Amino acid sequence: MLSSLVLAATLAAAPAPRSAASAKTLIHVPKVDALTGLAAFLERAGQYAALLRPAAWRTELHPFLVIDPTRPQSVSELGLDPAGPATVSMREDGRVSCMQVADAKLFQAKAAEAITAAGGAEPKPTTRGGMTTVRVKRDMGGSMGYALKGKEVCAFGATDGGGAGLFKESVRLVGKAPAKDARMGKLPGVAYVVSNNTVVGLEGTANALRVEALASKLPLPAFQARGTSPYAATKTEGLLYSRASVSPTGMTQSVNTMRSTLQVVCPTCPKEQMVSMAKAVTKHLTGNLLVNMDHVQVRGSLRSMATRFFAVRQAVAAELTDVAAVKAALAPLGKFPDAQVLEDGWKLPLKGGNVFVRIKGKQLVLGNEESVTQATLAALSETGAKTEHAVDFSVDPKRVAGGLSQISLSDILSDELLAGLFAASVELGPLLSRSERITGWVDPAPGGSQRGSLTWTLP
């Protein structure tokens, strides 16, 4: 009974987008005039990242009218209702934008002007059964138009062909009540983006952007529900700091990934022993992890796996259930080529840098830079506390910008991934260097999906 009431309440609060069939991406705004806070953040951020400027994407909200979310009055000037919803469906053959009208005659007049200006023939509305439709071809190919019934209007713009499919979708969408989307109802936001298996809610102020999402099929380890962690009160100041509680399956995946990476940067390390040590250590991990990425220091070409491994100076701590068993499992490290036995662990000199494996109390720490490893060890505590989320993280955007700026031209030209990171640096680097902090969290959600939140803060 209680679950039925909760479900009913969720559906009642869920937004109801008029979404077109076969949409690749869907954008839904429950109230257009509620976008002012989000638009204010994007306006500020857009001073340093042109892609985020509202002026750069406001033409995407409608096939032939220009909707300015920073000025609700501009929506009224088009005969549309700024207090009403807006839904944009992106399809391979074009897009459909559904909104509500406040003044049907004014909307039709503005639509006629815009359609003609966009290279369409003079619109000739047809009214039948209380529905008014317009469909015209464009000189450059494709077609555009709309279907209007009562206060509902869905406009379309087809990229090629006659646009018959989009025209039919527009007619269908204004002719029936939209279905509520419970996924959106679970997320806070003044705007929502749906793509593939991900639903994102967005809201903001002039100083902060908040993004919350539900996603499935992400390349992330399986997380455990929040609990007690020895890292709950640990704080470090670096490029990225994160606490995580990972499931046994996720720990196996994470350890295997780390072992494979070390095998590449240490080709002389005996593979069979690396595999057996990884299996033995995994059995004694609680799943509580701490990641401390301090800074980026690139020495050499990032085309080399060793250079990539040592580029981000970092250390990872993991809680143990049986320290003696882990020490015994890792003892063979002392016989690896050039290995040094330390008072609390081992040091492995490798091409490009050193790897440190050290133990403090019930914590196993793996690091690729001595000072970062030492700082991580010093920050550890044996006292556990409750954590609010399965994963939480904090990012220093200025250090991220500094790291991205170290990608060389030769690496950009030879590697698609590095080229993408360089493009991100060019587009977002100036904004990152002027941002305060980026924080967030991730929790497991029903059905094997994840729910996460990110807050981007400006000065």
Side-chain angles (χ1 to χ4, degrees):
M1 180 66 177
L2 179 59
S3 60
S4 299
L5 291 174
V6 171
L7 177 60
T10 300
L11 290 174
R18 292 183 183 273
S19 54
S22 304
K24 299 296 183 182
T25 302
L26 181 74
I27 301 172
H28 180 66
V29 179
K31 291 185 64 178
V32 177
D33 58 6
L35 286 174
T36 51
L38 177 60
F41 176 89
L42 296 175
E43 197 73 55
R44 281 195 65 195
Q47 296 176 29
Y48 310 106
L51 186 63
L52 297 180
R53 295 172 189 165
W57 48 263
R58 63 189 182 189
T59 56
E60 300 298 320
L61 297 177
H62 201 277
F64 47 80
L65 295 174
V66 177
I67 307 295
D68 186 353
T70 64
R71 294 181 56 246
Q73 181 61 29
S74 69
V75 180
S76 299
E77 292 168 355
L78 297 171
L80 297 169
D81 185 0
T87 306
V88 184
S89 301
M90 309 287 191
R91 303 198 337 175
E92 291 184 353
D93 56 346
R95 55 190 161 137
V96 178
S97 177
C98 295
M99 299 183 71
Q100 289 183 347
V101 295
D103 186 330
K105 289 185 178 180
L106 178 58
F107 166 77
Q108 288 184 275
K110 293 295 184 180
E113 293 175 8
I115 289 173
T116 303
E122 181 180 353
K124 295 180 179 179
T126 300
T127 300
R128 182 179 301 171
M131 182 183 297
T132 299
T133 59
V134 168
R135 178 183 173 191
V136 300
K137 293 184 178 180
R138 289 187 294 194
D139 295 338
M140 64 184 71
S143 63
M144 65 179 73
Y146 61 84
L148 170 64
K149 184 176 183 180
K151 291 186 176 182
E152 308 297 336
V153 61
C154 288
F156 70 93
T159 54
D160 53 22
L166 289 177
F167 175 67
K168 289 180 180 178
E169 274 299 291
S170 299
V171 171
R172 180 184 70 83
L173 290 171
V174 298
K176 60 181 294 186
K180 295 182 182 295
D181 192 322
R183 298 173 302 172
M184 294 183 188
K186 295 176 182 178
L187 300 174
V190 297
Y192 299 89
V193 180
V194 182
S195 182
N196 295 325
N197 300 303
T198 303
V199 183
V200 179
L202 303 164
E203 58 186 2
T205 65
N207 296 331
L209 168 70
R210 184 184 178 193
V211 181
E212 193 158 330
L214 276 170
S216 59
K217 300 182 180 179
L218 293 180
L220 296 174
F223 299 120
Q224 298 181 130
R226 61 188 180 185
T228 301
S229 170
Y231 312 120
T234 307
K235 293 290 183 183
T236 61
E237 297 295 332
L239 184 150
L240 179 143
Y241 163 76
S242 177
R243 289 184 292 257
S245 181
V246 182
S247 71
T249 300
M251 283 305 306
T252 299
Q253 296 170 344
S254 300
V255 172
N256 285 338
T257 298
M258 178 59 71
R259 192 264 310 162
S260 298
T261 301
L262 288 173
Q263 192 75 62
V264 173
V265 298
C266 182
T268 60
C269 293
K271 183 176 180 180
E272 290 185 2
Q273 279 191 314
M274 294 275 283
V275 172
S276 62
M277 282 192 296
K279 288 181 178 179
V281 169
T282 302
K283 295 177 182 178
H284 303 292
L285 298 176
T286 66
N288 286 318
L289 296 177
L290 170 70
V291 179
N292 178 22
M293 296 183 179
D294 188 73
H295 65 283
V296 175
Q297 188 174 3
V298 178
R299 292 178 177 174
S301 171
L302 287 168
R303 285 169 287 178
S304 162
M305 181 58 74
T307 302
R308 292 193 188 192
F309 177 78
F310 287 104
V312 181
R313 304 306 168 116
Q314 61 183 307
V316 178
E319 185 184 27
L320 304 174
T321 59
D322 189 331
V323 176
V326 170
K327 285 182 177 180
L330 294 176
L333 285 174
K335 297 182 180 180
F336 278 25
D338 301 318
Q340 299 177 28
V341 179
L342 307 176
E343 184 178 350
D344 60 353
W346 301 266
K347 174 183 176 181
L348 301 178
L350 304 177
K351 182 179 179 180
N354 299 310
V355 170
F356 296 86
V357 182
R358 301 176 64 177
I359 296 175
K360 178 183 178 181
K362 293 184 177 181
Q363 318 299 323
L364 173 66
V365 177
L366 176 68
N368 66 0
E369 208 274 338
E370 186 169 11
S371 64
V372 179
T373 305
Q374 290 279 25
T376 304
L377 286 165
L380 296 179
S381 170
E382 292 296 325
T383 304
K386 291 284 187 179
T387 55
E388 190 173 350
H389 299 285
V391 180
D392 57 33
F393 60 88
S394 179
V395 177
D396 183 340
K398 296 179 179 63
R399 295 199 186 196
V400 174
L404 290 173
S405 68
Q406 296 182 46
I407 302 174
S408 70
L409 178 61
S410 60
D411 288 334
I412 295 166
L413 297 175
S414 61
D415 190 293
E416 289 185 4
L417 174 61
L418 295 175
L421 289 174
F422 176 76
S425 174
V426 172
E427 180 61 40
L428 295 177
L431 173 61
L432 288 166
S433 64
R434 291 169 174 83
S435 298
E436 286 277 332
R437 203 75 186 166
I438 299 173
T439 58
W441 52 263
V442 180
D443 278 330
S449 59
Q450 293 86 28
R451 178 170 182 162
S453 176
L454 179 147
T455 300
W456 188 320
T457 308
L458 299 179

